[in-house]
Amino acid sequence: MSLPLTLGPLTLGAALFGGAGAAFLPRVAHRLAVPRGTGPRTTCAHCDTPLMTWVRAGAACPCRRFPACTIGAGAVATGLLGAALGESLMLLVLLPATLLGVLLAAIDVSCLRLPNALVAAFAVVSAGPLVVFGDSARVLGAFGAAFACFVAYGAISILPGNGLGLGDVKLATVLAFVLGFAGRPALILGLLLPHLINGAVVLVLLSLRRVSRRTALPFGPALLSGALFALVST
């Protein structure tokens, strides 16, 4: 499998966009990383400092570390997309969608939730422009992929001990639409990789005794990472 990456000003610009945008995500993620049915956090969960605004570059609170991982994730993800997709509709759509993806992943890691409002926003930003401006045949195929994914993941989610939540089902459905629009190879790889990624993470954490077999783990980051790799490698 080859990675058709092209380095240049577009790649650098995409990476800068992702890194700069991701710098504003930690506070939003911290405010939204709350239990289901709870309103956004108004004070820091670690030091009780009031969180008066939503917009703040850097750490979620002065008591927290600089969010190098979040910024790096945004920059790497958008840079890879810029290098792989070049000047295309897909790139224009996926640059802002990637920032929402990083936000969703951060929230899922923090509280094992993928808020419905953010998944809906992710769907509008990522799938909406493709429906409006994309080729009708590809859009139809994307809808078919999304429907098949929704049925399959929905069936898995009702099985006991499956580890999938409804948020995972909804996010996987949106990603299946985008991957289906990109083509069958991207769709197949993008739906297979998250399970391999998640399995590898589980094995590492088990070997380090950081989790047990019954520990609930977020699946959203694996879904998003698998989709990203599929898009840049097919």
Side-chain angles (χ1 to χ4, degrees):
M1 183 185 303
S2 62
L3 296 177
L5 303 183
T6 302
L7 301 180
L10 181 63
T11 302
L12 178 60
L16 289 175
F17 173 85
F24 291 87
L25 298 181
R27 170 158 290 193
V28 180
H30 190 62
R31 294 198 64 171
L32 294 178
V34 293
R36 190 178 306 277
T38 304
R41 185 175 280 116
T42 58
T43 61
C44 176
H46 307 283
C47 68
D48 290 331
T49 297
L51 303 176
M52 303 301 294
T53 66
W54 287 86
V55 180
R56 182 184 192 275
C61 175
C63 76
R64 308 309 296 160
R65 293 180 179 179
F66 183 77
C69 290
T70 302
I71 294 173
V76 169
T78 53
L80 285 173
L81 289 171
L85 301 178
E87 298 179 6
S88 65
L89 171 64
M90 287 288 287
L91 180 62
L92 290 176
V93 169
L94 293 178
L95 283 180
T98 298
L99 293 181
L100 282 174
V102 173
L103 178 59
L104 281 165
I107 294 172
D108 201 15
V109 168
S110 296
C111 66
L112 298 178
R113 280 190 63 223
L114 293 167
N116 287 331
L118 280 182
V119 175
F122 183 76
V124 170
V125 171
S126 60
L130 299 180
V131 172
V132 175
F133 300 107
D135 176 79
S136 58
R138 295 176 69 182
V139 171
L140 185 61
F143 273 117
F147 178 75
C149 179
F150 177 77
V151 172
Y153 272 66
I156 295 172
S157 70
I158 63 177
L159 298 176
N162 65 86
L164 282 180
L166 290 179
D168 298 319
V169 175
K170 297 169 188 174
L171 178 60
T173 300
V174 178
L175 291 172
F177 181 94
V178 176
L179 293 167
F181 187 91
R184 184 173 296 179
L187 175 64
I188 295 173
L189 187 60
L191 294 181
L192 174 64
L193 280 176
H195 300 279
L196 299 178
I197 293 170
N198 197 59
V201 170
V202 170
L203 288 176
V204 170
L205 293 177
L206 284 173
S207 67
L208 296 175
R209 298 182 178 180
R210 299 287 298 274
V211 300
S212 70
R213 294 183 181 274
R214 296 184 177 180
T215 302
L217 295 174
F219 191 51
L223 284 170
L224 292 158
S225 299
L228 172 66
F229 187 82
L231 287 168
V232 304
S233 61
T234 56

